[in-house]
Amino acid sequence: MKIDSPDKLNAWKEECLQKDAKLKKKVMVCFGPGCLAAGCREIYAKFEEILAERKLGDITLESFKKTGCHGLCEKGPLVVIEPEGIFYNRVRTSQVKDIVEKTLAKGEIIERLLYKNPKTKERVLKYHDIDFYKKQTRLALRNLGHIDPDNIEDYVMRDGYQSVAKVLTGMTPEEVIDEVKLSGIRGRGGGGFPAGRKWATCRGVESDVRYVICNGDEGDPGAFMDRSIMEGDPHSVLEGMIVASYAVGARDAYIYVREEYPLAVQHLYQAIDDAKEHGFLGENIMGTDFSLDIHISRGGGAFVCGESSALMKSVAGEVGEPRAKYIHSVVKGLWDKPTVLNNVETFANIPLIMNKGGDWFRSIGTEKSTGTKAFSLVGKVENTGLIEVPMGTTLREIIYDIGGGIKDGRKFKAVQTGGPSGGCLPEDKLDLPVDFDTLTKAGSMMGSGGMIVMDDHTCMVDVAKYFLKFLVDESCGKDVPCREGLYQLHKMVVKVTEGKASEADLQLMEHLSKYIIMGSLCGLGKSGPNPFLSTVRYFRDEYLAHIIDKKCPGGVCRDLIRFEINDKCTGCTACIAPCPVDAITGEKDKIHILDQEKCTKCGACYAVCQFDAIDII
Amino acid sequence: MKPEIDVAELKEIISHSPQKPSSLIAVLQDIQRKFHYLPPEAIKETSSALGVPLSQVYSVATFYSAFSLEPRGKHTCRICMGTACHIKGAPMALEQAEDQLGIKAGQTTPDLRFTLEVVNCVGACAMAPVVIIDEKYYGNVRVDKMKRYLDGVRDED
Ligand SMILES: Cc1cc2nc3c(=O)[nH]c(=O)nc-3n(C[C@H](O)[C@H](O)[C@H](O)COP(=O)(O)O)c2cc1C
Ligand code: SF4
Ligand code: FES
């Protein structure tokens, strides 16, 4: 069925709503990345198996939906039962039968599957009463967890493709661009460039062909927002791209997806097929003379290909090496044609802006950073997960109110944002509002949305080493400051972690960083020293501890630590077998002995000891 | 110990994409998916079919980490080295895996049994550190458990 007018779309939406209303109950099984890893496929299969044998009145297999990420990955696998919004967490296959027999058949709540508030120890019945969700505003993530991403009807029911109808039949491209400009939305991929201005420039360039590209490369090694959107709500990305293509006058658009995201690719293909079938893509969309095809281009696993000019080379089948910035890709991009490149989350916001207006969008967030931002909140926090908050929310609110504070009651040390180009902020920066400009000023950056919380067991020098190693591996090697500079900087940081550096080295490193920033061609090199610079700025003590005292306060750097057994040892023998080098000897009920000569400091004993009897010194 | 490559099959895979230079990455991806590596024949065939110089095919094949020029093991052990996993002890797990298998990350055991890889964030940070063997996820991995996981896979063979 082709939808070629707004009326038809509304009629279809009505139909979908009615069909949905017939489902007395809906069981949403989370298929987000975290829950997939935690085994949600088995949970779903079990539901199918039970339903095949047992009739449940109105509830049929249609009532079971595989949804995108619900957010609270920490507690997966998650099962949410609508319309009540009953939130079951850490569901095991053995408990599926109970859910069917008790909750679905009789409406009984299973207490032990409910989320437990870690502070009050009370069980929470409903989704939206959980602290984790209360402070969030979900715009880009609006449909995640509520729809089956492979079902276009689910999307249409929740106002899907309304913006396409509105824009194509009632607005000129210029009006669309003005609305996007009015909204003030800035790119969510890290740079924070105003999307409206980018679109306007592209449209203004004289050319017969223009392209729109969606950046789904998500190279930040601690982030999964874009992946969750592409997997859990692919139509929202397509819809945003259709609007953008109409605004700039593109006939073909591309989504560049990371090699490691096969499920995202699969859902996007399905979404493109369905959108085509219903006339949202292809020839004469909405009965107008606007036509568009969206193609998928799979990345080859190179971080630098997230950079705009490298990405465009990669789409064209070449080696992804960036080029100098004075040629702008909005003017000369893919195949040298004017090209708009935006991030997945940026596109996912566009339909909302079109439907509700730029004024509405800018009423959320701060003056210069409008709207919301999605983050993957991970590391040493209680509630690891996918979140979205209005810009301007403080780091403290995110980490403590939403994230539930530091895991195991430990002490906060730093929060890292911005991925390998970003930096680490200490405790006294926790009250900073999260927006593009504030984080940059503080020496970190917003980035695409990875937010990693670190506790006192983390070594900041080790963190700098980690990111630098990542960048050394990922530098495309085109220019010397980045290729050789980062390599040397990494080597020097390694020297610090080995306790072999001097204070003069630290100065040399700061000096070198300056030149890497000045001389590198693309953003990778230009922001490459950031992980070092921000840690040395806020955690200089820790560098000095390594250099002068030859100690690693975080207990991480192997050359500077020693494992010792203290008198809390009960002689339980639990650590003897795990030690790969047989460095621990002892008998039951007697304090064990650790042979420092043999110890490789792998940490196996520390991990298994239940009595805190292993000290890291 | 290189597996035999059926050139006809190779040609068939290449023919699925438009025969032009811009298909290069897509074609190599298809070949990689089928054979789990890019045999020398693949580089040659792709070069002549798409009209791309051999050197350029080789350059693309070595630039992107998705491609491997060496045959890969029957099993793949992937260790997440994303930031969340790193600060929760992934380096120790990697070291254990390297010791257990006697190879470094990115290598394959000589008997073509295991390939050891590192990956970045797989979206399961809640269970960090994460190790994935074939399709199975292992969360909250403790160093001492690596041996058991790998032995488990060996036993199944
Ligand atoms: C080394 C490097 C890696 C990047 N990786 C990504 C990425 O993974 N995803 C992304 O959306 N943008 C990434 N960017 C930013 C893009 O170049 C570009 O600015 C962005 O996709 C534009 O979209 P936006 O304006 O909607 O944010 C990267 C930039 C650099 C320099
Ligand atoms: S800065 Fe680094 S990654 Fe960017 S173009 Fe230069 S060498 Fe390549
Ligand atoms: S960092 Fe390992 S799963 Fe995210």
Side-chain angles (χ1 to χ4, degrees), chain A residues 304 322 474-479 482-483 520-526:
Chain A
V304 73
E474 295 294 340
S475 164
C476 80
K478 188 168 170 171
D479 53 86
C482 168
R483 186 185 66 225
S520 293
L521 187 61
C522 86
L524 189 152
K526 278 187 188 309

Side-chain angles (χ1 to χ4, degrees), chain A residues 164 203 231 324:
Chain A
V164 172
R203 184 168 180 83
E231 286 182 4

